[in-house]
Amino acid sequence: MNEVDALFASLRQAADPQTVDCIERVVTHGSDRDLNRINVLAFADTHHLDEEKTIAAFLHAARIGAFDMTWNVLCPGCGGVLDTGATLKTVDQETYQCALCAAGYEPTLDEMVEVTFTVSPRVRRISAHEPDRLPPLEYYRQIFFSSGVDLPEDFEARFARIQLEMIELAPGEKAFVSLHLPAQFVIIFDPATHAAQFIDVKGEPTDERQNLSMVISKAHALNETVPLRPGPLRLMLENHTERRVIPNVCVAGDELHDLLGRRRAFLTAKRLLSNQSFRDIYRTDTLDVDQRLKITSLTFLFTDLRGSTALYERVGDLAAFDLVRAHFRVLHEIVAAEAGAVVKTIGDAVMATFPSPDRAVAAALRMREAMLQLNAEHGSDDLLLKIGIHEGPCLAVNLNDRQDYFGQTVNIASRVQGLADPNVIMTTEAIVKDTHVSEILRDTGITSVSRMEELQGIAREVRIFALS
């Protein structure tokens, strides 16, 4: 058995075998492009696989070294990759600038950080392992644009319609380009350094040659827009970096916006942080102690057992411990099945996160049924579960040597759980107003009763909803 066979044999022990078989087939027969910066959600959709099992398989593949996992900071405007690193710890800037969009963005883990997987050179060599050797437009496709930009198969042909010129420059090289400027907004852009120059071409056409110089350097600055007239241009481009650059001159019109406006779902950092397999594999090695990364929307679910102290007194330590342990096992399984993750347990309480409110509500309903079933099996109502759910912004932090969350959203979710009665799911308005949650409640016949409550440490009254 060679090294690659051994890696996949090991992977089958840790992940879903059907998913692993599919990954191995793509590694063996897929194109180089198929194996670079894999969008896991698109991969699962293309091959008709379960998303959660596919995410888990690629996480285990990265753990054993068959794939490399990368965290890419994205521009929400053009979908370009502004920065990339091997861990989330590399997302350490307060703002990220996109020269192509001439805008700066504060990073959030919802839609600005994607997680992709590239086959390791030890498994298979692909052209993207040496990105500066890729053809220019293939560099755009595989390196510059995120996996969330749904580039068409005829990308090259469509880009050619808006491209006025493209040139490759070796380190230190200079080139002169002659072209004719149309009466439109034009951009000179290099995807390797993200250097950009805007040209506003307007006014009376001219037959006189115009001149423009652009120096491409590693520490490029945002350039002010240059006004020029329609007509001939002599462009001087100079590479002051230590790598190849591939500046292109293109028309920034509706066709470019349409080309870049096609988007698809991708694996966000938020979703991965709320994935049980990820938390189990990477544990504390996710965030630096001083990192504070924003998430604009995350759903928190808290549970607690009512009367657990009396339970130990009533049935004895050993029997009570077995019951509580069985309850924890069931809750963990349900959370993972609904794309969530258990953040921590505190005594008999659980704190879990979910990427969306509907997943949390679905988990809560399953938890309630599971506790009723456990009680029926034991012939008593010893497991009385209280559940609270809330959604909102928060900070992802490293707290007490674990990846945790901080903020008022967490506090409200915890307080709401404290108001819940056994077998009643307590939520906030943010949860029940979610469209998908409304569908779940309608389909399951769940009714809700609301009231205003003062929550400890919260300055305003909060409307809460009891689902029963």
Side-chain angles (χ1 to χ4, degrees):
M1 180 182 293
N2 61 33
E3 182 186 13
V4 175
D5 291 338
L7 283 173
F8 278 100
S10 173
L11 187 56
R12 283 186 184 84
Q13 299 299 314
D16 176 61
Q18 179 187 356
T19 305
V20 175
D21 287 345
C22 181
I23 294 172
E24 187 174 24
R25 285 196 299 272
V26 175
V27 167
T28 304
H29 303 293
S31 68
D32 281 10
R33 187 192 294 169
D34 292 336
L35 294 167
N36 179 54
R37 285 190 180 171
I38 294 172
N39 179 328
V40 176
L41 305 189
F43 186 96
D45 182 63
T46 299
H47 299 283
H48 310 291
L49 301 170
D50 177 82
E51 280 189 359
E52 294 305 313
K53 290 179 180 178
T54 305
I55 293 171
F58 275 102
L59 287 171
H60 284 288
R63 178 185 61 82
I64 65 175
F67 281 79
D68 297 321
M69 181 168 61
T70 54
W71 303 73
N72 308 315
V73 180
L74 313 181
C75 170
C78 66
V81 175
L82 306 179
D83 196 14
T84 185
T87 71
L88 187 54
K89 295 176 182 179
T90 60
V91 183
D92 56 4
Q93 298 182 36
E94 291 187 3
T95 59
Y96 286 83
Q97 299 291 331
C98 178
L100 185 57
C101 295
Y105 303 95
E106 182 181 12
T108 65
L109 301 185
D110 301 69
E111 297 296 335
M112 272 192 66
V113 182
E114 70 168 358
V115 184
T116 58
F117 297 83
T118 299
V119 69
S120 169
R122 66 192 288 199
V123 173
R124 174 176 157 182
R125 294 288 306 180
I126 60 173
S127 53
H129 289 146
E130 298 181 85
D132 286 345
R133 297 173 66 91
L134 286 169
L137 286 182
E138 202 62 28
Y139 186 97
Y140 271 93
R141 183 190 285 273
Q142 293 196 45
I143 305 298
F144 177 72
F145 287 117
S146 77
S147 70
V149 179
D150 191 11
L151 295 174
E153 286 300 317
D154 63 345
F155 169 67
E156 290 77 8
R158 293 185 60 180
F159 194 80
R161 296 203 292 264
I162 61 173
Q163 179 182 297
L164 302 177
E165 186 63 72
M166 180 176 286
I167 189 168
E168 296 185 54
L169 293 176
E173 189 176 4
K174 179 192 298 186
F176 292 90
V177 179
S178 294
L179 52 91
H180 192 277
L181 291 176
Q184 299 184 67
F185 199 83
V186 172
I187 297 177
I188 308 171
F189 180 70
D190 169 52
T193 63
H194 295 201
Q197 175 66 64
F198 302 136
I199 308 173
D200 191 7
V201 187
K202 59 185 178 181
E204 288 296 320
T206 180
D207 292 328
E208 295 182 7
R209 188 180 70 188
Q210 304 166 98
N211 295 286
L212 181 65
S213 298
M214 180 178 177
V215 174
I216 300 172
S217 62
K218 185 177 180 181
H220 67 273
L222 292 176
N223 294 300
E224 292 192 11
T225 301
V226 174
L228 291 176
R229 295 163 62 185
L233 172 69
R234 188 170 188 263
L235 176 64
M236 190 276 285
L237 297 166
E238 191 167 358
N239 181 6
H240 282 196
T241 75
E242 297 179 352
R243 59 178 300 188
R244 178 194 72 162
V245 297
I246 41 177
N248 83 87
V249 187
C250 71
V251 174
D254 292 341
E255 191 155 4
L256 176 62
H257 294 146
D258 179 64
L259 193 60
L260 305 186
R262 297 155 47 104
R263 302 300 168 90
R264 60 181 179 176
F266 59 88
L267 181 59
T268 64
K270 179 185 93 167
R271 179 163 179 179
L272 198 55
L273 292 184
S274 289
N275 178 276
Q276 192 63 55
S277 294
F278 175 78
R279 293 188 70 95
D280 290 344
I281 293 170
Y282 290 92
R283 299 186 183 276
T284 62
D285 190 31
T286 304
L287 295 166
D288 277 331
V289 174
D290 295 329
Q291 272 184 295
R292 306 286 187 270
L293 295 175
K294 289 187 176 182
I295 297 176
T296 58
S297 172
L298 191 63
T299 303
F300 291 88
L301 181 149
F302 281 82
T303 72
D304 197 10
L305 285 175
R306 193 181 81 169
S308 57
T309 302
L311 171 65
Y312 281 84
E313 181 70 25
R314 186 169 63 255
V315 304
D317 288 348
L318 185 59
F321 176 75
D322 287 341
L323 272 175
V324 172
R325 186 172 62 176
H327 131 275
F328 275 134
R329 183 180 65 252
V330 169
L331 295 192
H332 274 74
E333 290 173 353
I334 292 173
V335 169
E338 292 295 341
V342 173
V343 178
K344 57 187 172 185
T345 58
I346 308 166
D348 298 326
V350 169
M351 171 185 174
T353 58
F354 296 85
S356 58
D358 59 309
R359 290 285 203 168
V361 170
L365 294 173
R366 292 178 61 179
M367 289 174 181
R368 185 165 67 179
E369 290 302 314
M371 291 306 103
L372 292 174
Q373 184 176 340
L374 277 176
N375 284 331
E377 291 173 357
H378 290 86
S380 65
D381 290 331
D382 289 323
L383 297 174
L384 301 175
L385 195 65
K386 301 167 60 180
I387 304 174
I389 311 173
H390 181 49
E391 174 268 338
C394 63
L395 294 176
V397 299
N398 187 323
L399 192 64
N400 299 324
D401 294 325
R402 70 159 65 94
Q403 190 257 303
D404 207 336
Y405 299 93
F406 179 82
Q408 198 72 305
T409 298
V410 183
N411 297 334
I412 291 175
S414 176
R415 303 287 189 272
V416 167
Q417 177 271 316
L419 296 172
D421 293 321
N423 299 323
V424 175
I425 301 164
M426 199 68 74
T427 76
T428 60
E429 195 166 12
I431 299 298
V432 296
K433 277 192 170 183
D434 179 83
T435 302
H436 298 298
V437 170
S438 298
E439 292 175 358
I440 291 175
L441 299 183
R442 183 180 64 249
D443 293 344
T444 55
I446 301 295
T447 59
S448 66
V449 178
S450 71
R451 67 178 189 267
M452 299 299 294
E453 280 283 351
E454 291 186 0
L455 303 182
Q456 181 182 351
I458 310 299
R460 56 183 172 81
E461 281 193 327
V462 175
R463 182 171 293 280
I464 61 173
F465 293 76
L467 308 183
S468 58

